[in-house]
Amino acid sequence: MSSRLKSWLIIGAILFLLIAVALTVLFSIWGIWPEVRDFSLVILAFLTFVALGFLSWAAFVMISLAVQIKKEITPVLDSLRETTDTVRETTKVASDLTITPGVKAASALLGAAQVAGIFFGIGRARKRAEKRALRRRELAK
């Protein structure tokens, strides 16, 4: 805040206090405090109704905004639902036609390779048996 603005604010506050004190003294001398009170209550009631009007208007605007948003979002959500259904079906078809047969073929080849390895060479069963025999020999020592 600039120093010029601060000085104007200080001057304004001092003037406000001087006017408030002067009016208090004058109202007391003239004896019109009941009229001042009634006038203040009328002004306060009027300002309350003005504020209530603004709040009612804001509530109306918020409700209309919510209705507009609902009208805009509903088609987007429907489109999103259709898109997710399409993606779900596409992945299901892709899985059924490509991934599942590939996995079955790969597992059959691996199984056949293991069987061939056991029959024609040193397979896993023989390796495991050799490891067990080696452990037994080491423990026997």
Side-chain angles (χ1 to χ4, degrees):
M1 198 182 286
S2 68
S3 61
R4 188 173 187 186
L5 182 61
K6 284 183 183 178
S7 62
W8 279 109
L9 286 174
I10 292 171
I11 291 171
I14 291 171
L15 284 175
F16 177 77
L17 286 174
L18 287 175
I19 291 171
V21 169
L23 285 176
T24 303
V25 170
L26 284 176
F27 293 157
S28 296
I29 291 172
W30 294 335
I32 57 170
W33 278 111
E35 289 84 6
V36 171
R37 181 195 61 218
D38 294 343
F39 180 74
S40 298
L41 288 174
V42 168
I43 295 297
L44 183 62
F46 176 73
L47 292 177
T48 302
F49 283 122
V50 169
L52 182 63
F54 281 132
L55 286 173
S56 300
W57 176 73
F60 175 73
V61 168
M62 290 295 288
I63 290 171
S64 65
L65 179 65
V67 169
Q68 287 177 351
I69 288 174
K70 183 181 177 190
K71 286 180 183 177
E72 291 292 326
I73 285 182
T74 303
V76 172
L77 291 177
D78 290 340
S79 173
L80 182 63
R81 185 178 299 120
E82 291 173 8
T83 303
T84 55
D85 289 343
T86 302
V87 169
R88 185 180 300 118
E89 291 300 319
T90 302
T91 56
K92 188 176 180 182
V93 168
S95 174
D96 290 345
L97 295 179
T98 58
I99 296 172
T100 304
V103 169
K104 287 181 180 178
S107 64
L109 282 175
L110 284 175
Q114 286 181 352
V115 169
I118 290 172
F119 284 126
F120 299 117
I122 300 175
R124 273 196 201 167
R126 191 171 292 167
K127 285 182 184 177
R128 284 191 210 136
E130 288 173 0
K131 284 182 183 178
R132 281 195 301 269
L134 181 64
R135 265 192 254 134
R136 283 188 200 127
R137 275 185 259 144
E138 288 176 358
L139 289 174
K141 289 180 185 180

